[in-house]
Amino acid sequence: MKILSTTAFLLLFNYTLLSQESKIIDVNTDKEPIASGKFEPTWQSLSQYKVPDWFRNAKFGIWAHWGPQCQPEQGDWYGRFMYNEGSEQYKWHIEHYGHPSQVGFKEVINDWKAENWNPEKLVKLYKRVGAQYFFAMANHHDNLDLWNSKYQEWNSKRVGPKKDIIEGWAKASKKYHLPFGLSVHAAHAWTWFETSQLSDKEGPLAGVPYDGKLTKADGKGKWWEGLDPQELYAQNHPLSRGTSENITSLWGQWNWDNGASIPDQKYCDNFYNRTMDLINIYNPDLLYFDDTTLPLYPVSNVGLKIAAHYYNTNMSKHKGKLEAVMFGKVLTEEQKECLVWDVERGAPDKPQEKAWQTCTCIGDWHYSRSVYEQNRYKSAATVIRTLIDIVSKNGNLLLNIPVRGDGTIDDKEVAILENIGSWMDVNKESIFDTRPWTVYGEGPSVDSINPLNSAGFNEGKVGFTEKDIRFNQKKNVIYATVMGVPTEDVNIKAFGKNKNHARIKKIEILGSKEKIAWTQEYELLKISKLKHYPNEIATVFKITLDK
């Protein structure tokens, strides 16, 4: 074997890097130029980002993860799973719409009318129960834009509801003075909709392709005449490896690797233009991407260019001050300098130095009738305790309240929100405008190891009891929150005299005027059991220290 010299090796290494870089799709910015300013579309430039204080103070947001997949009320990823032969959503689709070779997801869009949607009513409710910012979904993996999109003919103004959904949410958020966020999920439609290329393997329609390969010419005489299904499904490309055999193969290809079909130039340019159009129209305060790192990363520089534009336009709107918040998933420590880390349906088991966010839902992401009927929503107690834990670790909670296809939320969701609001009315000072304390918590859950699974997905694996306590602070006040109703004296080790904290001036319990008896011993602070506690969700002790 011939051994390369050091010089030859370096030349070969640099050539390999250049070859790899040449494969990165460089999006065309002619139609939607990047705004000039402080930020350039590089990681080094984006590392100048600083999380604005308003977001760190806000702590709690509510999300309307709402689109046409909520119309069937069959839960998550309907647009992909309805093409999975034999699945529950496939069976339901055939029963209620017809076979997906003739009646596909485009017909679900046509069926979605949002006839009872009242964005002002919903946003007003969300603010009243404690939300400090509001998120709307701009598009999902189903590729339908929910505004009057300049670059996507399949949009909610032209088909389905015939309404500009984002415009309605934006006006409501402005009326109620809530920072407005937009979530963008459409980068993955390329592989997500690949199931629409398949066909039944058994039965009378075995081998008859589903509707994913239809063209504009096929629409003659149909309700969608003049529209090109390929602008929606984007399936004029070979399947990713494993799609025909295993619908879950996409799970391992989310980073555009492991045999994923790679988007072409046209697709990347279109996604770029659509997202830039969205930003330029609505100037969102927050921007969420349902992608590892950034959309279409690392096969394209789409995300980097969008990020630079978003930060620069936000600074221009705020007289040179950056107030924007942008989220990405599965970030490296270096990338966490550039945007805010989002953890889906989970939380790190230890505090984080930088601000971060959990996104989760009380049920399925898209409305599910069975979750409602089977009483499987998260309770208000679960939501509040999750929020308390997240805040103690320097995070925010973004909570999705699933919306039905008609634009309303159900009675059980309203009850959960009202219970959240009741707790917030009394205890919100222990949440908003706070910062982590030197110790984030104590109790059984603190000692539990609960690692994240890729983008998150570790929630519910460790429970909270009244033995668990979480801390945060505001100036010389420490809030010690017990995750439930104490059944005996509360012992807090973090406030033992041996910890050398400032002297305790007084202790109160939020929502109660009952006199508290307490003693500070060498190894712990002991708070005597009260006769009555103000709520059954979480008990907040307000501990004021001498300055």
Side-chain angles (χ1 to χ4, degrees), residues 54-55 60-66 123 126 131-138 166 169-170 173 178-185 284-289 310 325-327 342 357 359 397-401 403:
W54 77 259
F55 177 74
F60 180 51
I62 288 182
W63 190 3
H65 189 280
W66 181 52
V123 173
Y126 299 154
Q132 303 296 293
Y133 53 100
F134 172 75
F135 254 94
M137 187 171 71
I166 301 304
W169 287 127
S173 295
L178 284 179
F180 183 51
L182 291 170
S183 67
V184 175
H185 310 244
D285 302 291
L286 311 99
L287 185 61
Y288 169 108
F289 290 115
Y310 177 52
V325 186
M326 185 173 64
F327 303 90
D342 180 84
Q357 176 180 268
C359 64
L397 172 62
L398 176 62
L399 181 70
N400 176 45
I401 306 296
V403 181

Side-chain angles (χ1 to χ4, degrees), residues 313-443:
T313 54
N314 183 271
M315 288 187 71
S316 177
K317 295 288 182 183
H318 292 92
K319 299 180 180 180
K321 186 178 181 181
L322 182 57
E323 297 287 355
V325 186
M326 185 173 64
F327 303 90
K329 299 180 179 179
V330 199
L331 303 180
T332 66
E333 292 305 313
E334 292 76 17
Q335 290 162 350
K336 289 176 184 177
E337 300 285 343
C338 307
L339 62 164
V340 174
W341 181 36
D342 180 84
V343 180
E344 182 174 350
R345 287 192 182 274
D349 52 14
K350 295 294 182 286
Q352 300 298 302
E353 179 183 352
K354 296 186 179 301
W356 58 281
Q357 176 180 268
T358 285
C359 64
T360 192
C361 181
I362 62 169
D364 279 3
W365 287 115
H366 292 96
Y367 192 86
S368 170
R369 172 63 55 173
S370 65
V371 171
Y372 170 80
E373 292 175 343
Q374 296 168 16
N375 293 315
R376 290 192 283 116
Y377 287 135
K378 290 184 176 76
S379 66
T382 296
V383 171
I384 290 296
R385 290 168 191 161
T386 299
L387 173 65
I388 292 165
D389 178 63
I390 288 167
V391 169
S392 75
K393 298 172 181 173
N394 203 26
N396 286 29
L397 172 62
L398 176 62
L399 181 70
N400 176 45
I401 306 296
V403 181
R404 292 181 287 204
D406 72 350
T408 63
I409 61 175
D410 64 50
D411 59 311
K412 295 177 183 178
E413 292 176 303
V414 172
I416 292 166
L417 286 167
E418 294 289 1
N419 287 334
I420 291 172
S422 295
W423 189 89
M424 286 287 198
D425 287 343
V426 175
N427 300 285
K428 60 187 176 184
E429 71 169 85
S430 69
I431 298 295
F432 307 134
D433 303 325
T434 62
R435 293 292 183 269
W437 193 40
T438 53
V439 178
Y440 88 92
E442 58 185 60

